[in-house]
């Protein structure tokens, strides 16, 4: 893929953040999501590429835009797989709290997991513990492995988990092991990625969340030499059927890094909507609005933080 595609992608997530940030704190998550989705789609369609959404906001019947299978771009140029979450953290924006992002990942055609928008069980760690984890192993085994790899006591580990009822047993097991739990309300993309940054204060993420969010996090973690494993969790007959239709027969299959993101030409891009640990949110000032984005390229492992200053006085 051409390198300057990454600059085009930043414009996509920036415009989505600028649009959805206006909805921060207004208690309207659908409006925030729609603003992000629309802006994202408009900019995407100006980019020279033949893009296909392989995992994202549901299928055509349930998502009006950026649905799985949607074609994006001018239709000319390289064939690209796209994973997308136009607004990761609609509740966050509605409530005006931390860590909402607009985010996409791209790879060459056929290289990103093509799966329905359903739940996924996840485990994410940084580079020290890469190769030492197993999503099927007992919690205590994974925590011991991460502690050993990071040369720490289990009691010093911080394990991020979405604060959901379904995670009651998981949270008990983590606490019983002696490790500490960081409960998050939403936003497991940012938190999963934070395991791969040494100074983030999060050592491992466990639990289930959205599958698109899993693929997005995995692309970033791969480039940062960490490890992500996932297992799709179809709960209904309908979801199992959709899995089969997308070519996934073994629902219990452990999705390793290679199953989720193939090749070494992958980009992960995100822009902050509300302030968070990974990125600052959008700031609207009189003539200039400021955005903060991250671009991670797997080929070189380069991580770039990019500040955008956008003229909003109508002169440009
Ligand atoms: C998580 C979280 C997201 O969805 O993936 C979650 O990280 C999973 O769904 O920010 P539930 O809320 O049903 O647990 C989000 O909250 C929204 O995409
Ligand atoms: Mg979303
Ligand atoms: Mg989301």
């Amino acid at each position: 893929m051409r390198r300057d595609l990454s600059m085009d992608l930043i414009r996509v997530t920036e415009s989505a953040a600028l649009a959805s940030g206006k909805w921060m704190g207004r208690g309207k998550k659908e409006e925030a999501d729609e603003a992000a989705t629309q802006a994202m789609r408009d900019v995407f369609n100006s980019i020279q590429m033949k893009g296909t959404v392989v995992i994202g906001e549901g299928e055509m019947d349930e998502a009006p835009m950026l649905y799985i299978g949607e074609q994006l771009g001018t239709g000319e140029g390289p064939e690209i797989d796209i994973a997308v979450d136009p607004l990761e953290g609609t509740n966050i924006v509605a409530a005006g709290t931390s860590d909402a992002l607009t985010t996409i990942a791209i790879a060459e055609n056929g290289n990103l997991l093509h799966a329905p928008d359903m739940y996924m069980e996840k485990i994410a760690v940084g580079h020290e513990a890469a190769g030492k984890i197993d999503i099927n192993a007992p919690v205590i085994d994974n925590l011991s492995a991460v502690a050993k790899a990071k040369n720490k006591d289990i009691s010093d580990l911080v394990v991020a988990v979405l604060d959901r009822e379904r995670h009651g047993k998981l949270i008990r097991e983590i606490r019983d092991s002696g490790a500490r739990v960081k409960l998050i309300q939403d936003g497991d993309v940012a938190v999963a990625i934070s395991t791969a940054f040494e100074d983030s204060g999060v050592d491992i993420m466990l639990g289930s969340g959205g599958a698109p969010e899993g693929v997005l996090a995995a692309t970033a973690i791969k480039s940062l030499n960490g490890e992500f494993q996932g297992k799709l969790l179809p709960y209904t007959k309908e979801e199992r059927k959709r899995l089969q239709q997308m070519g996934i027969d073994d629902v219990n299959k452990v999705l390793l890094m290679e199953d989720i993101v193939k090749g070494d030409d992958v980009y992960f891009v995100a822009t902050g909507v509300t302030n968070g640990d990974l990125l600052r949110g959008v700031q609207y000032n009189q003539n200039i609005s400021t955005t903060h984005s991250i671009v991670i390229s797997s080929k070189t492992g380069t991580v770039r933080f990019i500040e955008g200053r956008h003229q909003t006085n109508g002169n440009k």
Side-chain angles (χ1 to χ4, degrees):
M1 292 189 290
R2 55 186 174 90
R3 276 184 172 171
D4 55 345
L5 202 51
S6 61
M7 203 58 218
D8 286 333
L9 298 177
I10 297 170
R11 287 168 42 239
V12 173
T13 56
E14 279 180 347
S15 66
L18 285 164
S20 58
K22 293 272 180 191
W23 292 97
M24 178 199 176
R26 298 190 192 282
K28 296 204 159 61
K29 63 178 211 165
E30 256 121 57
E31 285 83 347
D33 204 20
E34 205 182 305
T37 308
Q38 193 142 0
M40 211 176 238
R41 188 199 220 188
D42 285 348
V43 180
F44 248 133
N45 281 336
S46 71
I47 302 176
Q48 237 195 41
M49 66 172 187
K50 214 166 170 248
T52 308
V53 177
V54 294
I55 188 158
E57 296 282 280
E59 273 132 278
M60 206 200 293
D61 49 347
E62 56 194 34
M65 284 192 270
L66 298 179
Y67 54 84
I68 300 168
E70 183 169 342
Q71 304 290 310
L72 292 169
T74 58
E76 276 156 35
E79 284 189 34
I80 303 273
D81 278 3
I82 300 166
V84 59
D85 194 353
L87 182 54
E88 157 61 347
T90 53
N91 292 321
I92 297 175
V93 173
T97 49
S98 305
D99 266 322
L101 310 171
T102 57
T103 177
I104 50 183
I106 66 158
E108 285 170 303
N109 181 28
N111 283 355
L112 291 181
L113 178 72
H114 176 45
D117 181 6
M118 60 173 52
Y119 282 97
M120 180 189 264
E121 189 185 331
K122 311 174 187 183
I123 179 169
V125 292
H127 69 92
E128 305 95 330
K132 312 266 162 64
I133 52 164
D134 174 3
I135 197 168
N136 281 333
V139 170
I140 180 73
D141 292 5
N142 281 316
L143 297 183
S144 305
V146 174
K148 191 167 166 226
K150 295 188 106 174
N151 212 1
K152 287 184 175 187
D153 276 351
I154 287 197
S155 60
D156 290 328
L157 289 184
V158 174
V159 188
V161 181
L162 274 168
D163 190 5
R164 298 292 186 274
E165 258 174 41
R166 63 177 184 272
H167 290 151
K169 180 167 169 264
L170 172 65
I171 292 166
R172 270 195 308 278
E173 282 176 17
I174 297 167
R175 288 184 177 146
D176 285 349
S177 79
R180 297 173 293 162
V181 177
K182 174 178 171 153
L183 291 174
I184 56 165
Q185 286 314 312
D186 287 288
D188 72 350
V189 174
V191 172
I193 295 172
S194 75
T195 63
F197 285 102
E198 265 158 50
D199 54 357
S200 69
V202 178
D203 299 290
I204 171 169
M205 187 189 83
L206 292 172
S208 61
E213 284 89 340
V215 174
L216 284 157
T219 58
I221 291 170
K222 173 172 177 155
S223 308
L224 298 166
N225 300 317
E227 185 172 1
F228 179 99
Q229 295 176 7
K231 260 166 98 171
L232 290 163
L233 297 172
Y235 285 117
T236 61
K237 227 170 124 188
E238 174 65 21
E239 286 186 336
R240 269 188 286 273
K241 202 172 114 199
R242 282 203 240 157
L243 264 186
Q244 273 186 342
Q245 282 165 350
M246 292 197 195
I248 302 171
D249 293 322
D250 178 9
V251 292
N252 292 316
K253 186 176 160 59
V254 172
L255 299 167
L256 300 172
M257 219 73 241
E258 245 337 82
D259 301 307
I260 303 174
V261 213
K262 290 191 188 59
D264 71 342
D265 199 3
V266 181
Y267 287 101
F268 170 88
V269 184
T271 300
V273 182
T274 61
N275 284 344
D277 287 340
L278 188 62
L279 292 166
R280 302 192 64 192
V282 183
Q283 285 155 50
Y284 303 96
N285 295 313
Q286 203 175 23
N287 294 321
I288 288 179
S289 297
T290 310
T291 53
H292 293 89
S293 306
I294 184 172
V295 186
I296 308 178
S297 156
S298 70
K299 220 178 220 172
T300 55
T302 312
V303 180
R304 292 187 174 86
F305 288 96
I306 294 172
E307 181 174 307
R309 286 167 180 255
H310 310 269
Q311 300 279 341
T312 51
N313 57 8
N315 294 336
K316 299 269 179 212

